[in-house]
Structure formats: structure tokens, C-alpha cells
Amino acid sequence: MLGGVGWRDLQMDGSRRDDERDIEITDVRCVVIEGNFPWNLIKVETSAGEYGLGEAFPGPASEYIEFLRPGLVGQNPFDIDRLTEHMTQLLSGLGGSLGYSQAAVSGIETALFDVVGKLVDLPAYQLMGGKYRDAVRIYCDCHAGEALAESSDADPREIYSPASYADAAREVIDEGFDALKFDLDVRIEDADTATRRLSNDAVEHKLAIVEAVREEIGADPALAFDLHWNFSVETAERIARGLEEYDLAWLEDPVPPEGVDSHRKVTAAASTPILAGENLTRVEGFLPFLTEQAVDIIAPDLQKAGGLLEFRKIATVADAFDMPVAPHNISSPVGTMASVHACATVPNAFALEWHAREVEWWDDLLVREEPLIEDGEIAVPEAPGLGIELDTEVAAEHTAPGEEMFEL
Ligand code: MG
């Protein structure tokens, strides 16, 4: 076992507790479901016979869970925050507060909320301090390439035409969404991309796409565009300034993710709101972006940033800077519902991403009467825990090669 002696002893026995809450974690398991991403579903089992489900961001979660299992079995699942810190400390030699470590921690933490909610018969949002809203607004990620492209041989200016974006936007609006996002980092010029610089003509093409979408859907829907960290500060500033008149909800990830200063420059250069943060973890990762006013909106990913409580901490600090949160989300219905609970508990949650429009069995993965998303929002569940029931047969049909669905 790596790690040696922890600098903080976080392995208390939790024995001073009423009998019905004196229970233990007995196992932690992981299965990969092949959605439009490899969805890591995590199950925490307890001595009370109740289990919890969570989801970790795509990556080698099962390896991290194997590593964490000995430190979790025997622990009391009610100590969610302490166990999150305990796991982070155990993983300190494997990235600790960052990357795949926090993805695994996030998934397990979410499963703890699910099981604790079931044990005390309360929805997860209620355990986190209650809710600000009965439903969470969902923004639909409309991609660009795959969703719009008929053929990869065609001229990219024809595939990524303003009209094709406008058509896609109309479809999504007609499905009931009033918030949507497209990729705007599509490549239409043959240039030296290592410079991260775009010609004026290429920038004009992007502006034409945004103009066409705005014209199609009108001024009201929240409209965002993602640049996926691709550009230099100078090019990002030209794009952000050019987009000012279209009153976007945000322009996402204009420059490489690490640079607080470069984000601050782009944010200061134009009135177009700048969003970033899907790569950041825990409060300490977000803090410089908040204190330096480097962005206008942050986008923590609940399956990566540390889990529900860590999201709440991040959102609380952001709110102290009067900054909204619009969580990144590429998860299955399990992680999405966890994000819904968390978004319900903070005042400054603006909208939650949905990235799985092309997954035809999305709604089948949960046992429920109604579609998960209705009229562009998800109702905050009242059932205990995450308020979901996984359809194990559907999950088993979509497990990744070599994976075996766990029993529930
Ligand atoms: Mg993004």
C-alpha cells in the first residue's frame, strides 16, 4: 500500500453514533458503460444492505477504486466529507487533489450521498442544506462536427456553414430547450495551427455562424459557444470582441486551461462573458480564477471536481465573487442526476450541461415513467438519495468489452 502514515489521521472509527447509523462500507465497485463516453458507474455497498450509485469522469476509475477499497471498507458512509478528504489523502501519491484521483473520489462521494439518502429516507439535495429551485435548467450541447457533418470529405465551409448551425439550433429549440451550446472551434482554414492564431477571415466565419444562430432562435435563448482551449489570447480577444453584439450566455475555454493570466486578459478585453473550469478540481483549483477575476462564469464538472459537497464549496466561493456556475457534464443519467441535486442547492447555478442528445437509450438507463429532461429542465427528485433506479438490463446491454455489470 502506498502512502505511509497520513499527516492527518482521518481513519476514525465513528463509533459514537446511534445504532441505526452505526454501519460500515462493505465494498466499492465500478463498471464502465459505453455511452457517448465511457461512463464509470460506481456502487458503494454497506452492512445495512443498502447501496449507493455514483459516477466518475471517464478514465481509469476502477484502478483507483482498487487502490482506495482497503481504506474505505469498514468506514462509516455517513462521514461523507471526512471520507472525501481521507480518499484524497490516500491518493496523494497518485495525483491526490487532481485529475483521475479526484474523478474517482467524486464518483465514490456521489455514491455515498445516494446510500446515505436512502438510509435516512431523504433526497440528496436535502442532505446538502435544501434547495433553491424545484427544477434545474438544462442546456443542450449541440456539438458541431458529428452532428452537422454529412461527409468528412466535403469542404469544411459547407459542413460548418452558418445555415447548418442555424438548422441544428432550431431543432433543439423546437425540442423545448431554451439554452444551447455549439462548438465553434471547427477548422475551416489550412493554417499553421501551432501558433493558435486565426486569420481575420476565419474569425469572420465564426462570427457568421453565431449571427445565423441568433437570427434563427432570437434574442432570448441562452446561447453559448465552446472554443476548447484552442486559441492564443490575441485571437481569443478578436473572437470575443466580435461576438459582443450577439449577447451570448458565454464563450467557453478560449485559451489553454492552465493560464489564469491569459484568461483574465480575454475576460477583460470584451463584454462577452468568458466561461472556463471543466478541467479544474476542488476549491483550491478554482480559487485563483475567482480571486483574479479571470473568468465570468465557472464550469465545475461534478464527476471530476470532487463530488457534490466539493461542488457546493466551489459554488459558494464563486458566489462570494458574484460569479455564476454552469456545470460541465458529459455523464450518464446517474451523474446528471447527481449534478441536478447539487445545482438545486446553490443560488448561483445558472444551467447544467446535457451532452448526450445522440444517445438513443439515454432515458432507458433509468427505470422511470417520464423522460428525464422535459421542457429543457430536470425536476429535482423527491425520492431518497439521488432518486434514481438503474435499469440493470439496459446497463448490461451497454457495458464496455470485458466489463461485467454489477448486481443491484
Ligand atoms: Mg467545454
Side-chain angles (χ1 to χ4, degrees):
M1 175 113 183
L2 293 174
V5 179
W7 61 94
R8 290 197 289 194
D9 181 9
L10 297 174
Q11 295 209 63
M12 65 180 282
D13 61 10
S15 58
R16 278 186 58 191
R17 216 187 282 270
D18 283 351
D19 283 351
E20 71 267 22
R21 285 181 287 117
D22 185 15
I23 63 171
E24 293 181 356
I25 295 170
T26 53
D27 203 0
V28 186
R29 307 178 64 181
C30 180
V31 66
V32 182
I33 305 292
E34 280 195 315
N36 52 344
F37 293 92
W39 292 329
N40 285 310
L41 299 191
I42 290 171
K43 182 189 181 200
V44 169
E45 300 174 0
T46 67
S47 59
E50 198 61 84
Y51 68 89
L53 289 179
E55 182 167 352
F57 195 81
S62 59
E63 292 172 36
Y64 286 76
I65 285 165
E66 290 303 315
F67 179 82
L68 287 169
R69 183 181 287 110
L72 288 170
V73 169
Q75 292 286 309
N76 192 311
F78 278 93
D79 290 329
I80 298 173
D81 199 48
R82 177 178 64 79
L83 289 177
T84 302
E85 293 306 307
H86 178 47
M87 288 189 278
T88 300
Q89 178 165 303
L90 288 173
L91 289 164
S92 52
L94 295 174
S97 62
L98 301 169
Y100 292 135
S101 286
Q102 280 304 301
V105 169
S106 302
I108 295 170
E109 191 260 21
T110 302
L112 292 174
F113 264 104
D114 189 35
V115 73
V116 168
K118 289 172 178 172
L119 288 166
V120 299
D121 202 23
L122 285 174
Y125 80 79
Q126 197 67 70
L127 301 175
M128 297 174 70
K131 61 184 175 180
Y132 281 84
R133 49 191 69 83
D134 290 327
V136 170
R137 185 189 206 184
I138 301 299
Y139 79 82
C140 184
D141 188 303
C142 309
H143 319 305
E146 313 87 347
L148 292 171
E150 292 291 313
S151 158
S152 56
D153 300 330
D155 180 340
R157 281 179 189 265
E158 283 172 23
I159 297 172
Y160 304 117
S161 69
S164 65
Y165 273 79
D167 290 348
R170 168 53 52 197
E171 256 183 51
V172 170
I173 292 289
D174 288 347
E175 287 171 17
F177 290 94
D178 72 344
L180 58 163
K181 182 174 90 181
F182 287 95
D183 297 342
L184 198 57
D185 54 328
V186 292
R187 188 172 171 185
I188 51 100
E189 65 175 354
D190 192 15
D192 175 4
T193 55
T195 64
R196 296 183 179 275
R197 189 181 191 287
L198 287 180
S199 68
N200 286 333
D201 179 49
V203 170
E204 285 301 322
H205 178 260
K206 297 190 188 311
L207 304 188
I209 287 172
V210 176
E211 180 183 26
V213 173
R214 242 328 165 214
E215 264 180 21
E216 178 64 37
I217 67 174
D220 278 343
L223 177 61
F225 288 88
D226 197 339
L227 294 176
H228 292 109
W229 319 280
N230 271 307
F231 301 110
S232 65
V233 168
E234 178 274 330
T235 291
E237 286 180 356
R238 263 189 292 148
I239 298 170
R241 277 197 298 268
L243 291 177
E244 281 181 323
E245 64 184 288
Y246 303 111
D247 202 10
L248 296 187
W250 68 79
L251 182 64
E252 180 164 332
D253 290 328
V255 291
E258 308 81 13
V260 177
D261 289 336
S262 50
H263 280 84
R264 191 182 57 219
K265 279 187 190 167
V266 178
T267 297
S271 64
T272 302
I274 301 299
L275 172 145
E278 68 179 71
N279 285 325
L280 300 173
T281 53
R282 294 179 50 107
V283 173
E284 58 265 36
F286 283 86
L287 202 54
F289 286 83
L290 303 174
T291 58
E292 297 294 317
Q293 299 284 298
V295 292
D296 296 292
I297 309 173
I298 54 167
D301 186 307
L302 276 281
Q303 285 70 50
K304 181 198 281 181
L308 282 75
L309 266 185
E310 193 66 28
F311 166 79
R312 202 180 187 295
K313 295 172 188 176
I314 293 163
T316 301
V317 179
D319 198 43
F321 290 91
D322 198 23
M323 200 179 287
V325 294
H328 181 252
N329 173 40
I330 58 166
S331 67
S332 81
V334 175
T336 298
M337 203 57 122
S339 301
V340 165
H341 280 273
C343 284
T345 68
V346 297
N348 51 334
F350 170 59
L352 169 67
E353 181 166 13
W354 179 51
H355 205 290
R357 187 162 168 259
E358 70 268 35
V359 179
E360 286 171 8
W361 43 277
W362 165 265
D363 274 314
D364 302 332
L365 197 57
L366 298 183
V367 178
R368 49 184 292 133
E369 309 271 301
E370 310 292 335
L372 194 59
I373 303 169
E374 290 190 293
D375 295 327
E377 57 183 31
I378 297 179
V380 181
E382 277 301 303
L386 296 182
I388 55 171
E389 185 186 343
L390 197 65
D391 188 317
T392 49
E393 272 182 37
V394 174
E397 283 168 23
H398 296 282
T399 51
E403 295 280 316
E404 201 175 329
M405 184 58 201
F406 42 63
E407 287 183 10
L408 295 180

